[in-house]
């Protein structure tokens, strides 16, 4: 104790630095900083934000930064649910992309029946009903996944493989595989801009979701319970927590997150393509959780880190898109290289090695000091 | 003393029970396949009565069969490899580009070199992923996810268009049909048409037999089970856990290379859209075949029947007239669900006995 204390006092700056490096938020923030610096050097105008009139005539903010924050909305909302599921069940849900398709299809099924010139009040009512229904539907699918994981003890990745295979087909089945596009401009408000407000609506929805989850974690025992279930399910059962219900609950929460994403997704384009909508988003969401330094095997989690991780992933995607010579479909190769590098840096193995090296150096120093004192 | 003998007896019982459980999964899979095929023969008739229908299933799924076998190996050691589908796509594209260049006289080469390229790509993926998983102890899912992304991107970097191969020797190889002895059907004109399989099927079946022997009778094969069953006790038994996991991934990568080439042989072209979702089909076949994702349990024979069941049900759905693609996926999903529930019940029973 005394040794470390003196060490700290001697090199307090070093100690603080070490503390920062050890922090879970360090990796995602460092990655974000790296991307920001990279973009600043290659293109100083990258972060310009301008207020200009959109195609509909109202003033909107535009710029790369706004695009990133706007497009990351779905990923951030998904990362919230995915972090909880990862923490409690020690596995990931790979069906979120397919369930987004189902949720979006449900919304369109309700909205398409209405004429485009109905009054505002009635339209709002329809939107609310369709949204609630899509929340119920995807929460039910979440509960299905959760039940398989909690009650039948199937690994999450395998249990969700079922919906991963069948989900997009179910989405197509809901609407009879029709190509639907909603002509009403007001439907697009939730995925684009509300006239008069220069900030994209998905940003507000994301902020609301973040506030809600922060309040829930603050007021309830959800964080403690899901972490303890993730660390050791049987001992938390002995302590009076019902692990099955907690696991089910996290999957239902993810289902609700998915519903919000699906709603935003279909609102962005006012239409749906069953096989393409939210393609590969499950991979991005899992990467966001991993990038946040959360243990994918369950247990302790840090939601802030996951959210920052989601923004980093979107930042990376946009940065890569900026290079015009990169084909949009070959982007994943570059993404993979970056992701592998990030994971290697943040892996516990490398960190342990790093710490070992540091400890050795410290020990050598201490020995040298002892030698000096003896002299 | 009596307590002691009880314990011993209990151990013996447990061993026998677990063995029958593993076999039970296999028997269920085989039974389901046979019942399904018989139903198809009895009620659908459209072509299912002809032996060629069965061999067509094999022709179409030779690649999936090899991929699933590799997947089974990795799953037995307790890992997973979701990159195989995109590696298949990459192999197809690279070989197609290579053979077209040979055809145009840009470079010298032959079909044999393209096989080597395919195996090389598969091996490279296997070695890198295996190293990251086994020696750097990353999550297999994340590592192979990155592999999937990388292969997907590389495919479009190699070429983003669909390429049909017109290289003469290769096309000849593609079109080669090997007649199956004693089987065939009489066509409308009354001429006996023998049933045939493609070259790929023979290679795939050879891989199945080889891997079956590997798992059943070699030290390495038994090590796979030991590592998957319990990491630490395998370590205490003196098994090199890291090396075993590494080798499983290398073999899976090699299988992805072979499977990729078989897909290429069947499709005769390269396209970024080839083998989309093949990794999920491979995982689904392994699970239906009785491999547990928790590791330690699995069987290549089961995987063979898993692939057959999966593709038979797809064919049945298509021939029922439900041509819309979604019905296939929904039935596969339901089938997967049923098999997972059976597995879970069996596992729960096993745990209760303990």
């Amino acid at each position: 104790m005394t040794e470390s204390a003196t060490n700290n006092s001697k090199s307090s700056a070093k100690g603080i630095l070490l503390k920062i490096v050890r922090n879970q938020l360090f990796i995602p923030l460092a990655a974000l900083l790296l991307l920001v610096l990279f973009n600043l050097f290659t293109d100083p105008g990258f972060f310009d934000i301008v207020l200009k009139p959109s195609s509909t005539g109202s003033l909107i903010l535009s710029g790369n930064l706004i695009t990133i924050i706007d497009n990351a909305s779905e990923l951030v909302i998904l990362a919230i649910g995915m972090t909880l599921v990862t923490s409690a069940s020690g596995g990931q849900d790979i069906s979120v992309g397919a369930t987004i398709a189902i949720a979006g299809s449900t919304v369109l099924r309700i909205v398409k029946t209405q004429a485009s010139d109905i009054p505002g009040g009635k339209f709002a009512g329809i939107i609310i009903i369709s949204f609630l229904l899509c929340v119920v539907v995807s929460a039910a699918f979440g509960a299905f996944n959760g039940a398989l994981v909690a009650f039948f003890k199937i690994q999450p990745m395998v249990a969700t493989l079922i919906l991963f295979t069948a989900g997009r087909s179910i989405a197509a089945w809901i609407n009879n595989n029709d190509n639907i596009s909603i002509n009403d401009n007001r439907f697009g408000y939730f995925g684009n801009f509300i006239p008069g407000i220069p900030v994209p609506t998905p940003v507000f929805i994301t902020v609301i979701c973040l506030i809600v989850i922060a309040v829930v974690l603050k007021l309830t025992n959800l964080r403690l319970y899901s972490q303890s279930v993730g660390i050791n399910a049987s001992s938390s059962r002995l302590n009076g927590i019902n692990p099955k219900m907690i696991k089910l609950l996290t999957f239902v929460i993810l289902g609700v997150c998915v519903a919000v994403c699906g709603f935003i997704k279909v609102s962005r384009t006012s239409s749906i393509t069953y096989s393409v909508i939210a393609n590969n988003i499950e991979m991005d969401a899992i990467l966001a959780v991993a990038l946040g330094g959360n243990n994918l095997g369950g247990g302790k989690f840090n939601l802030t880190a996951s959210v920052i991780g989601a923004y980093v992933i979107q930042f990376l995607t946009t940065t890569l898109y900026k290079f015009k010579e990169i084909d949009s479909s070959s982007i994943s190769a570059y993404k993979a290289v970056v992701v592998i590098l990030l994971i290697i840096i943040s892996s516990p193995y490398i960190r342990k090695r790093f710490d070992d090296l540091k400890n050795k150096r410290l020990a050598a120093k201490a020995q040298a000091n002892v030698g000096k004192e003896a002299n | 003393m009596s307590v002691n003998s009880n314990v011993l007896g209990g151990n013996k019982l447990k061993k026998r029970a677990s063995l029958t459980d593993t076999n039970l999964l296999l028997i269920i899979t085989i039974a389901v396949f046979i019942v399904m095929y018989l139903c198809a023969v009895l009620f659908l008739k459209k072509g299912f009565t002809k032996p060629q229908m069965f061999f067509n299933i094999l022709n179409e799924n030779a690649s999936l069969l090899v991929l699933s076998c590799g997947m089974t190996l990795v799953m037995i050691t307790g890992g997973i490899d979701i990159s195989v589908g995109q590696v298949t796509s990459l192999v197809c594209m690279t070989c197609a580009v290579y053979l077209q260049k040979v055809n145009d006289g840009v470079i010298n080469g032959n079909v044999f070199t393209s096989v080597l390229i395919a195996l090389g790509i598969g091996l490279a993926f296997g070695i890198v992923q295996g190293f990251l998983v086994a020696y750097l102890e990353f999550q297999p899912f994340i590592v192979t996810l990155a592999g999937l992304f990388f292969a997907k991107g590389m495919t479009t970097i190699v070429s983003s268009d669909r390429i049909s191969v017109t290289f003469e020797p290769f096309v000849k190889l593609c079109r080669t049909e090997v007649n199956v002895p004693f089987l065939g059907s009489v066509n409308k004109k009354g001429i006996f048409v023998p049933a045939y399989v493609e070259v790929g099927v023979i290679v795939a079946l050879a891989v199945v037999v080889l891997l079956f022997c590997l798992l059943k009778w070699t030290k390495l094969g038994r090590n796979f089970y030991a590592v998957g069953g319990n990491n630490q006790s395998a370590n205490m038994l003196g098994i090199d856990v890291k090396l075993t996991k590494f080798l499983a991934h290398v073999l899976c990568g090699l299988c992805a290379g072979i499977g990729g080439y078989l897909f290429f042989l069947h499709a005769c072209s390269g396209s970024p859209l080839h083998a989309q979702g093949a990794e999920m089909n491979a995982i689904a076949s392994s699970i239906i075949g009785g491999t547990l994702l928790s590791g330690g349990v699995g069987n290549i024979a089961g995987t063979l029947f898993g692939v057959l069941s999966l593709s038979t049900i797809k064919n049945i759905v298509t021939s029922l007239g439900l041509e819309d693609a979604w019905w296939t996926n929904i039935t596969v999903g339901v089938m997967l669900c049923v098999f997972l529930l059976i597995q879970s019940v069996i596992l729960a029973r096993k745990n209760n006995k303990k």
Side-chain angles (χ1 to χ4, degrees):
Chain A
M1 277 308 284
T2 48
E3 255 187 36
S4 66
T6 48
N7 242 337
N8 273 348
S9 61
K10 260 181 194 169
S11 53
S12 61
K14 215 174 186 181
I16 290 169
L17 198 73
L18 210 70
K19 225 178 198 175
I20 291 172
V21 172
R22 287 260 175 78
N23 195 322
Q24 203 178 351
L25 287 178
F26 173 71
I27 292 289
L29 278 179
L32 196 61
L33 195 70
L34 211 68
L35 281 168
V36 167
L37 286 179
F38 176 77
N39 276 312
L40 264 183
F41 281 121
T42 51
D43 176 15
F46 187 81
F47 294 100
D48 288 355
I49 296 174
V50 285
L51 200 64
K52 64 178 184 189
S54 70
S55 53
T56 52
S58 53
L59 282 174
I60 55 164
L61 286 173
S62 69
N64 285 325
L65 211 55
I66 298 294
T67 317
I68 291 167
I69 295 175
D70 180 18
N71 286 343
S73 304
E74 289 100 325
L75 205 52
V76 171
I77 297 170
L78 272 186
I80 297 170
M82 195 66 91
T83 313
L84 287 174
V85 164
T86 304
S87 158
S89 64
Q92 288 75 38
D93 184 342
I94 57 169
S95 71
V96 285
T99 323
I100 283 178
I102 296 176
S105 196
T106 316
V107 171
L108 289 184
R109 168 94 199 209
I110 305 289
V111 178
K112 76 170 177 185
T113 53
Q114 303 303 323
S116 61
D117 51 352
I118 49 170
K122 202 180 167 203
F123 183 76
I126 288 164
I127 292 290
I128 290 171
I129 288 170
S130 68
F131 178 66
L132 287 182
L133 193 73
C134 106
V135 167
V136 170
V137 167
S138 50
F141 278 107
F144 169 73
N145 283 336
L148 286 179
V149 171
F151 296 104
F152 292 95
K153 296 202 172 64
I154 302 169
Q155 286 115 316
M157 223 117 75
V158 186
T160 52
L161 181 66
I162 298 170
L163 267 185
F164 179 90
T165 346
R168 284 172 196 282
S169 306
I170 295 173
W173 176 62
I174 288 174
N175 271 319
N176 263 328
N177 210 9
D178 292 336
N179 286 323
I180 299 164
S181 62
I182 307 290
N183 294 323
D184 198 323
N185 282 335
R186 289 172 293 182
F187 184 62
Y189 287 173
F190 304 95
N192 303 305
F193 293 89
I194 295 175
I197 300 174
V199 181
T201 326
V203 178
F204 292 116
I205 301 178
T206 315
V207 170
I208 292 170
C209 285
L210 287 175
I211 291 172
V212 167
I213 197 70
V215 169
V216 166
L217 287 180
K218 193 85 191 166
L219 295 183
T220 66
N221 283 333
L222 185 64
R223 181 193 291 272
L224 178 70
Y225 283 4
S226 57
Q227 285 182 355
S228 60
V229 168
I231 291 167
N232 193 333
S234 40
S235 70
S236 48
R237 193 180 61 82
L238 293 177
N239 279 306
I241 303 170
N242 187 347
K244 288 177 181 169
M245 285 319 286
I246 295 292
K247 280 182 187 174
L248 191 65
L249 186 67
T250 55
F251 271 94
V252 171
I253 291 174
L254 178 59
V256 175
C257 293
V258 163
V260 178
C261 291
F263 188 68
I264 296 175
K265 269 273 187 231
V266 286
S267 177
R268 273 188 203 280
T269 54
S270 292
S271 63
I272 189 167
T273 321
Y274 304 105
S275 56
V276 176
I277 182 173
N279 216 353
N280 287 339
I281 202 169
E282 55 272 357
M283 308 298 178
D284 279 352
I286 296 168
L287 284 180
V289 175
L291 203 59
N294 297 301
N295 184 1
L296 290 180
K300 292 202 85 155
F301 69 89
N302 188 336
L303 210 54
T304 322
S306 293
V307 168
I308 296 173
Y311 279 115
V312 170
I313 301 255
Q314 191 59 44
F315 209 122
L316 179 65
T317 314
T318 312
T319 309
L320 287 173
Y321 269 126
K322 206 181 53 145
F323 292 102
K324 289 289 181 233
E325 62 262 40
I326 293 182
D327 188 25
S328 67
S329 44
S330 59
I331 210 165
S332 51
Y334 302 96
K335 220 172 174 176
V337 173
V338 177
V339 164
I340 288 180
L341 284 179
L342 282 174
I343 291 173
I344 288 179
I345 296 168
S346 63
S347 81
Y349 180 82
I350 299 291
R351 282 194 165 194
K352 216 177 91 191
R353 274 292 156 91
F354 192 65
D355 284 353
D356 281 354
L357 214 71
K358 200 161 253 174
N359 286 341
K360 252 183 210 167
R361 208 179 290 163
L362 280 180
K365 225 180 215 174
Q367 226 160 26
N369 281 340
V370 168
K372 262 182 204 165
E373 273 167 25
N375 280 340
Chain B
M1 282 313 277
S2 64
V3 175
N4 223 344
S5 68
N6 259 345
V7 167
L8 275 176
N11 261 340
K12 262 183 194 169
L13 258 180
K14 235 184 272 164
K15 205 172 182 184
R16 208 176 296 153
S18 71
L19 266 179
T20 48
D21 280 342
T22 321
N23 288 340
L24 193 64
L25 288 174
L26 180 62
I27 290 166
I28 290 174
T29 313
I30 296 176
V32 164
F33 168 68
I34 291 174
V35 167
M36 210 154 57
Y37 207 88
L38 277 182
C39 286
V41 168
L42 287 177
F43 299 114
L44 282 171
K45 294 202 170 110
K46 288 180 200 165
F48 272 99
T49 44
K50 290 179 190 161
Q52 185 56 47
M53 188 69 176
F54 177 74
F55 291 111
N56 275 346
I57 291 177
L58 278 182
N59 286 342
E60 277 161 32
N61 292 292
S63 149
L64 180 62
L65 187 54
V66 177
L67 292 183
S68 307
C69 287
M71 186 68 81
T72 307
L73 287 186
V74 174
M75 273 164 67
I76 285 174
T77 58
I80 197 163
D81 186 343
I82 56 169
S83 70
V84 289
Q86 291 300 332
V87 173
T88 300
S89 181
L90 177 61
V91 164
C92 286
M93 188 56 100
T94 319
C95 291
V97 169
Y98 171 76
L99 285 181
Q100 268 322 88
K101 283 208 166 147
V102 171
N103 193 37
D104 297 341
V106 182
I107 41 175
N108 287 324
N110 51 31
V111 176
F112 182 67
T113 337
S114 72
V115 177
L116 288 186
I117 290 175
L119 295 184
I121 292 173
L123 262 185
F125 269 87
I127 288 171
V128 172
Q129 290 176 355
F131 180 75
L132 289 177
V133 170
Y135 289 99
L136 295 189
E137 290 166 8
F138 295 151
Q139 301 256 351
F141 187 84
I142 293 298
V143 170
T144 52
L145 180 66
L148 178 148
F149 274 137
F150 186 72
K152 197 176 189 180
M154 280 310 287
T155 311
T156 43
I157 288 174
V158 171
S159 166
S160 53
D161 305 320
R162 186 192 163 86
I163 293 175
S164 289
V165 179
T166 49
F167 185 54
E168 199 52 48
F170 180 76
V171 174
K172 218 179 245 173
L173 188 66
C174 282
R175 301 257 165 84
T176 312
E177 291 171 357
V178 181
N179 287 341
V180 182
F182 313 121
L183 281 175
S185 54
V186 180
N187 69 2
K188 278 174 193 164
K189 288 176 186 167
I191 303 163
F192 181 77
V193 183
Y196 70 90
V197 290
E198 285 168 12
V199 186
V201 177
I202 297 168
V203 178
L205 290 178
V207 170
V208 169
V209 172
L210 267 179
L211 289 183
F212 183 78
C213 296
L214 175 90
L215 277 182
K216 201 95 188 168
W217 289 300
T218 66
K219 204 175 155 190
L220 181 66
R222 304 320 289 179
N223 283 356
F224 284 157
Y225 284 102
V227 168
N230 193 332
N231 238 329
Q232 284 170 337
S233 33
N235 198 15
M236 285 172 188
L237 283 172
I239 296 169
D240 191 341
V241 174
K242 288 180 178 176
L243 183 70
T244 314
K245 277 191 176 173
F246 176 69
L247 283 178
H249 274 274
V250 171
L251 277 176
C252 181
L254 196 61
C255 280
I258 299 172
Y261 201 81
L262 295 188
F263 196 100
F264 182 48
L265 261 181
H266 184 70
C268 241
S269 63
S271 151
L273 293 176
H274 273 349
Q276 288 280 309
E279 63 276 354
M280 292 308 161
N281 277 336
I283 295 172
S285 318
S286 297
I287 290 168
I288 292 172
T291 312
L292 293 186
L293 228 119
S294 45
V297 179
N299 199 324
I300 292 288
T303 306
L304 172 66
F305 282 97
V307 173
L308 288 178
S309 310
L310 199 71
S311 28
T312 309
I313 203 159
K314 278 185 182 171
N315 273 17
I316 290 176
V317 169
T318 340
S319 61
L320 272 175
L322 303 166
E323 268 140 47
D324 308 300
W326 72 70
W327 279 112
T328 325
N329 287 336
I330 291 179
T331 28
V332 170
V334 170
M335 196 170 159
L336 197 61
C337 186
V338 169
F339 271 89
L340 282 173
L341 290 182
I342 293 173
Q343 282 195 359
S344 135
V345 168
I346 286 177
L347 265 184
R349 220 186 58 185
K350 203 165 142 188
N351 284 341
N352 277 347
K353 267 183 190 166
K354 273 178 193 169

